[in-house]
Amino acid sequence: MMGIIGQILVGLGAGIFLLAGVGLFRFKDPYSRISAVATASGVGLVLVTAGVLLINPEPGNIVKGIIAIILQLITASIASIVIARSTLISGYPFSENTDTEELEDFG
């Protein structure tokens, strides 16, 4: 039973990565693209790793999986913030539908 749940989680994680890939082509500005990739890398990796741990639940794998999940969640969020900030500082324009009212203080 745990193997089936693990395979479902791996499939869901892969599906999230696929949707993020589609988002890279569909979103109009880098700010939206960064959001899609950072969210997918966090959620997708957690689902895939948890699924693999359910398929093969050995103590060594569990420790490595938890460390991988924690490091991915920390680094993905920091990297996306740094990329979005550098894009904003460089003056790259937002798409016309983006609400930038909160950013007027930074301009």
Side-chain angles (χ1 to χ4, degrees):
M1 184 67 179
M2 299 234 325
I4 294 171
I5 295 172
Q7 290 175 357
I8 290 171
L9 289 177
V10 169
L12 287 173
I16 289 175
F17 282 122
L18 179 67
L19 289 174
V22 171
L24 286 175
F25 292 105
R26 302 237 344 143
F27 291 138
K28 298 186 185 326
D29 60 3
Y31 308 103
S32 301
R33 293 177 185 148
I34 292 166
S35 174
V37 171
T39 302
S41 68
V43 176
L45 183 92
V46 168
L47 288 174
V48 169
T49 306
V52 169
L53 292 177
L54 287 176
I55 293 170
N56 191 7
E58 295 178 6
N61 291 343
I62 293 173
V63 171
K64 293 174 197 173
I66 290 172
I67 291 171
I69 288 171
I70 291 170
L71 290 175
Q72 174 64 22
L73 291 176
I74 291 170
T75 58
S77 61
I78 292 171
S80 64
I81 290 169
V82 169
I83 293 170
R85 227 178 143 146
S86 63
T87 306
L88 180 65
I89 291 170
S90 73
Y92 196 91
F94 289 92
S95 66
E96 56 275 352
N97 296 333
T98 304
D99 180 18
T100 59
E101 185 175 312
E102 293 182 20
L103 297 173
E104 290 176 3
D105 295 337
F106 297 107

